[in-house]
Amino acid sequence: MSKLGKKLLKQGALLVPMAAFLSGCGLDASDNGRVTEAQTSGAGEPTAQVAGAAIKGVIQQGVVTANRLLEDKSGYYAPDRLAAKPVRTADDGSYELQLRGKASGWALVELRADGSTRMVCDVVPGCDQVGGSQVAFGQTLSLDGEFVLRGAGDLATETVHLTPLTHLAVTLAERSDQGLSPAALAEGYQTVENWFGLSAGALSLVPPDLTRLDELGEVSADALQVAITNAAFLALVNDNAQWQSISDVLNDMSAQIMASGQLDITGDGTTVALADIVAASAAQASELQLTTESSIISQKLVIVEYRNVQRFKTIADVYDGSDSGDTSVADTTEPPTTEPEPQPTIPADAALLSWTAPLTRENGESLSMGEIAGFEVVYGQSADALDHSIAIGDASVDELLVDQLSEGTWYFAMRTLDIDGNRSVLSEMVSKQI
């Protein structure tokens, strides 16, 4: 399930429901066993495991370290001393570390490249490299010594994946007055998901290997979208002379985030723009459809392409402020309709919902867009049991593609959420036969 279209805004008190419209895981790899044994051989000392995958494409033999994030007396969170010996990522990008201490609190995990590190090219048709010929899709290339990926997670509940997107999220969290606090990190992850039109929690999904799509079996469109967005960072190197490596792209975007907490929207010819990544993601989703024989995977790639095309169409309006103060939305007391406006073809197992945000509260008071925190979509195969839900924490989103629906009739309704935690009653229901 994934968000499309305009970002959502936050609400205030109890709101009138909006109208809904329905359309449709220097050491060699052989040292890993000795490293693990050394880490766990303490005399009864408790340990916490942190595991995950480093994927941009798949990163092999990357050096991974981890630090606990500790709070000082002023409430500022920063990395503690190194809590685990370094390990290298496996051929599939996975890693596993044993940290000294209990499985509580948060950890910062970092991957660095050295002379042994290789990355699988996940860009179709290939990946440009400095001073060399293009590396074909699915083959490996070396990484420069500046290449770094970071991620963070709760030791009690999460794996920690390392991707360009998690790296940006950690960079964003560093700007917080509390440093790398759990709250700042959670907010950073959510913000990056919103920037790229990803579903909530998407950065916690393990990105699949795009070079082995037909071997995947089950994979969600959300996980594919995450992997393709990560691939787009390197795709930009192919198309732009000013960026010689993925490190150039990451460093440019990280500098923007540290300076302003935002990314450039459409670019000025010298900086990496959000629109650049989204456009490259759409192109890669299209190209990848030619590399797979699986009709199921191909259909999900169509979904990812569609999401990115729609995101690209609205991204400038979302971030340049042109949607603030918009008073053109319809009064949501009007009943919903099942008659869609013309839309691009969507998969047969998907429904496209669109809506307009409310202008008034249920008591008749006016409601500004800045008071809207987001929306909740509820749905199910019975009008009396809407047992699925999707929370949208971005009030400028006005469309949602709900995919992977089984055969039968599906019913949908929505409610508005405000910045004070109030919830509106549900909107009237719409339905679609799958």
Side-chain angles (χ1 to χ4, degrees):
M1 319 286 174
S2 198
K3 294 177 287 186
L4 283 178
K6 291 188 177 179
K7 281 182 62 185
L8 300 155
L9 306 168
K10 293 194 170 182
Q11 314 178 190
L14 193 60
L15 315 175
V16 176
M18 72 296 303
F21 300 88
L22 178 65
S23 18
C25 148
L27 301 173
D28 293 323
S30 59
D31 294 326
N32 281 347
R34 293 195 293 274
V35 171
T36 302
E37 180 182 359
Q39 290 172 354
T40 60
S41 61
E45 181 181 18
T47 60
Q49 176 179 295
V50 57
I55 295 181
K56 200 313 303 124
V58 171
I59 300 173
Q60 305 169 343
Q61 297 297 299
V63 182
V64 182
T65 57
N67 300 74
R68 290 180 179 273
L69 293 168
L70 299 183
E71 182 182 15
D72 64 18
K73 293 181 179 179
S74 67
Y76 188 86
Y77 283 79
D80 191 23
R81 68 183 186 280
L82 192 65
K85 293 182 179 179
V87 298
R88 288 191 181 272
T89 56
D91 287 346
D92 62 356
S94 63
Y95 74 91
E96 182 177 318
L97 284 164
Q98 299 291 332
L99 277 68
R100 294 186 294 273
K102 297 180 179 180
S104 61
W106 283 58
L108 176 68
V109 184
E110 181 178 274
L111 176 142
R112 290 186 175 273
D114 65 8
S116 299
T117 306
R118 307 288 293 179
M119 181 176 70
V120 177
C121 172
D122 59 348
V123 174
V124 181
C127 300
D128 290 348
Q129 55 181 351
V130 179
S133 59
Q134 189 177 75
V135 175
F137 178 70
Q139 300 302 306
T140 62
L141 63 154
S142 60
L143 289 166
D144 62 87
E146 294 184 8
F147 183 79
V148 178
L149 290 180
R150 296 185 297 171
D154 188 336
L155 292 172
T157 60
E158 295 184 17
T159 55
V160 180
H161 302 307
L162 307 171
T163 71
L165 294 175
T166 66
H167 186 84
L168 296 183
V170 171
T171 303
L172 184 59
E174 283 181 316
R175 302 181 77 253
S176 165
D177 292 339
Q178 290 77 45
L180 293 174
S181 69
L185 285 164
E187 183 176 355
Y189 269 60
Q190 184 180 39
T191 298
V192 171
E193 289 166 349
N194 289 340
W195 283 346
F196 295 96
L198 300 168
S199 59
L203 297 192
S204 295
L205 300 173
V206 55
D209 183 353
L210 297 175
T211 68
R212 306 175 68 178
L213 289 175
D214 288 328
E215 302 175 28
L216 292 179
E218 278 299 316
V219 62
S220 69
D222 289 337
L224 279 172
Q225 187 177 1
V226 172
I228 289 169
T229 304
N230 286 315
F233 284 74
L234 188 55
L236 292 183
V237 177
N238 291 355
D239 300 328
N240 298 273
Q242 68 266 40
W243 303 315
Q244 300 298 310
S245 69
I246 188 173
S247 293
D248 288 345
V249 174
L250 276 172
N251 290 342
D252 182 291
M253 300 181 79
S254 296
Q256 293 181 49
I257 290 172
M258 288 304 296
S260 67
Q262 286 287 351
L263 293 176
D264 198 348
I265 306 308
T266 56
D268 56 8
T270 59
T271 60
V272 183
L274 185 58
D276 294 333
I277 299 291
V278 174
S281 298
Q284 282 301 301
S286 177
E287 294 285 350
L288 284 166
Q289 293 168 42
L290 304 177
T291 73
T292 178
E293 297 180 359
S294 167
S295 61
I296 296 175
I297 298 296
S298 181
Q299 185 183 68
K300 293 178 180 179
L301 289 169
V302 171
I303 294 172
V304 174
E305 180 183 3
Y306 177 85
R307 292 173 177 177
N308 280 287
V309 168
Q310 296 304 305
R311 189 64 172 168
F312 183 80
K313 289 179 178 178
T314 61
I315 202 166
D317 288 341
V318 169
Y319 290 102
D320 68 6
S322 63
D323 61 335
S324 60
D326 183 10
T327 60
S328 63
V329 291
D331 186 332
T332 60
T333 58
E334 294 296 321
T337 177
T338 58
E339 291 299 322
E341 295 180 2
Q343 293 286 348
T345 301
I346 64 171
D349 67 345
L352 180 64
L353 300 170
S354 62
W355 60 88
T356 54
L359 290 175
T360 58
R361 302 179 183 277
E362 291 177 1
N363 62 5
E365 294 180 0
S366 64
L367 174 68
S368 70
M369 293 295 284
E371 295 177 288
I372 301 176
F375 308 98
E376 180 185 25
V377 175
V378 293
Y379 62 102
Q381 289 192 280
S382 167
D384 298 322
L386 303 180
D387 51 3
H388 296 70
S389 68
I390 303 174
I392 305 172
D394 183 346
S396 62
V397 171
D398 62 4
E399 289 184 316
L400 178 73
L401 185 70
V402 184
D403 54 22
Q404 302 180 47
L405 298 173
S406 58
E407 291 185 1
T409 302
W410 286 84
Y411 300 87
F412 304 84
M414 303 180 68
R415 60 167 54 95
T416 306
L417 314 175
D418 74 10
I419 58 175
D420 295 325
N422 299 307
R423 305 164 64 189
S424 76
V425 298
L426 285 173
S427 70
E428 293 189 40
M429 197 175 300
V430 294
S431 63
K432 183 182 181 182
Q433 180 72 33
I434 300 297

